[in-house]
Amino acid sequence: YFVGAGLSIKSGYPSWSSLLHELIKLAKTKSWIDKEKIKEFEQLVDDSTKFLFLAEELKLELGSSFYDYMEERFAENKHNPVDDHKYLVKTNSDLILTINYDNLIERAYINEYKDIPRTFTYSDPKSAANNFWKGNFFILKAHGDAKTDVDGLILSQRDYRNVLYGARGYRSLIKSIFTTKSILFLGVSLTDPEFNQLMDYLHDSYHGGGPTHYILLEKSKNLKVLERRYLEDFKIQSIPYSNENGDYSEITEFLEILATEAPNEKLN
């Protein structure tokens, strides 16, 4: 599994756009941030192609207030796992790779198995790689963990560039995962900046080789041109779902079926 922010929204955590809006609101309370800069932030916040650049600026402008906010927002157990997380950990899977900062997946695992899952971040690729080659199930928090290391969270353009192109061990691990495992993407869209950063990097690395991957996409946002390009360029096959009532219930139904048809027997 590859899990994005969309799967945490039901629990009360923000989407990419919502988080940037929250950080801009925080910036407005800081006397040292110029009002003209705030206006520029507000102009950029609705353009998904500028999210990473905006995050970079907000992180720099807010300074230590940024880390305090992220720790408060994501590290505390104020929100609980939902059925999506429960079915996620009950499905047969070698690993769960998540770009979320919260600990909902870990808590769902603990609730289900009364045990603490092996969990690693991008800063500990050796341990993650060791478990990967041994076939041990683990959770890889690709963008960091707000509870254990808020200073190490990956959010901005510079952060992504440093970890994808500067961290050799992590880079090798990601290549190995995507070239040997079929990945199901959940809670991400084709316009998510971090998703596209990763896809561009992987395409440069193995040029669309390896197994076919899959992504759950809301029908209304599943543009045919993008769908074809992601299949041709990245070998990612779209699985459309309906969301007419806005509660994403079909995602839950899909995950429940997976958990029933392919239970994680290794953890029972």
Side-chain angles (χ1 to χ4, degrees):
Y1 286 110
F2 180 104
V3 179
L7 216 67
S8 293
I9 291 175
K10 285 185 182 180
S11 294
Y13 287 109
S15 64
W16 243 103
S17 177
S18 297
L19 176 59
L20 291 176
H21 277 284
E22 290 180 14
L23 291 173
I24 291 173
K25 183 178 180 180
L26 176 64
K28 289 180 179 179
T29 68
K30 306 303 178 185
S31 59
W32 64 82
I33 302 181
D34 187 84
K35 290 182 179 180
E36 288 302 314
K37 181 150 275 189
I38 297 292
K39 289 181 181 179
E40 291 182 12
F41 292 161
E42 292 176 328
Q43 290 173 352
L44 293 170
V45 73
D46 293 319
D47 182 354
S48 63
T49 65
K50 301 295 190 299
F51 279 177
L52 295 178
F53 297 105
L54 178 54
E56 180 78 41
E57 285 298 310
L58 283 164
K59 187 176 178 180
L60 290 172
E61 290 291 332
L62 287 167
S64 62
S65 295
F66 166 82
Y67 298 102
D68 291 341
Y69 185 83
M70 295 296 284
E71 186 171 25
E72 171 69 18
R73 189 71 170 92
F74 292 98
E76 301 301 326
N77 295 342
K78 295 179 179 178
H79 306 288
N80 296 314
V82 295
D83 285 344
D84 294 353
H85 301 101
K86 178 181 72 173
Y87 295 134
L88 191 71
V89 300
K90 290 180 70 174
T91 304
N92 186 28
S93 175
D94 293 315
L95 63 95
I96 297 175
L97 192 159
T98 179
I99 53 177
N100 297 340
Y101 310 125
D102 59 67
N103 60 3
L104 293 174
I105 298 173
E106 298 96 299
R107 290 167 60 201
Y109 184 101
I110 292 170
N111 290 342
E112 187 64 31
Y113 301 107
K114 312 305 178 190
D115 193 15
I116 299 174
R118 298 178 181 90
T119 304
F120 310 102
T121 70
Y122 68 90
S123 62
D124 190 16
K126 183 177 180 180
S127 296
N130 185 45
N131 280 272
F132 179 68
W133 293 119
K134 287 181 177 179
N136 296 328
F137 172 83
F138 65 94
I139 298 168
L140 178 60
K141 307 193 79 168
H143 292 170
D145 187 324
K147 196 175 187 68
T148 62
D149 183 20
V150 70
D151 292 339
L153 296 183
I154 302 299
L155 180 69
S156 69
Q157 185 78 26
R158 183 180 301 173
D159 294 335
Y160 286 111
R161 188 165 55 246
N162 288 341
V163 74
L164 282 178
Y165 294 97
R168 185 175 301 174
Y170 174 74
R171 189 170 69 232
S172 297
L173 175 62
I174 290 296
K175 285 183 184 179
S176 297
I177 291 172
F178 278 85
T179 54
T180 61
K181 302 295 180 181
S182 186
I183 306 296
L184 173 61
F185 292 86
L186 300 167
V188 299
S189 76
L190 298 183
T191 58
D192 285 349
E194 73 275 31
F195 172 72
N196 282 286
Q197 284 271 336
L198 178 61
M199 290 302 100
D200 287 342
Y201 168 73
L202 291 171
H203 185 265
D204 288 343
S205 300
Y206 65 88
H207 307 290
T212 300
H213 307 301
Y214 301 88
I215 183 170
L216 283 182
L217 286 178
E218 188 176 344
K219 285 181 179 178
S220 63
K221 299 177 181 178
N222 188 24
L223 303 179
K224 294 300 180 182
V225 173
L226 285 177
E227 180 181 354
R228 180 176 178 180
R229 287 273 45 91
Y230 275 82
L231 182 58
E232 294 290 334
D233 295 342
F234 310 121
K235 293 190 71 174
I236 298 178
Q237 175 67 58
S238 299
I239 302 175
Y241 66 90
S242 298
N243 188 34
E244 295 179 0
N245 56 8
D247 64 358
Y248 298 96
S249 58
E250 284 199 10
I251 291 181
T252 305
E253 293 173 13
F254 180 87
L255 292 174
E256 183 178 12
I257 291 171
L258 281 184
T260 301
E261 298 298 325
N264 202 339
E265 297 175 351
K266 291 184 294 186
L267 300 178
N268 290 336

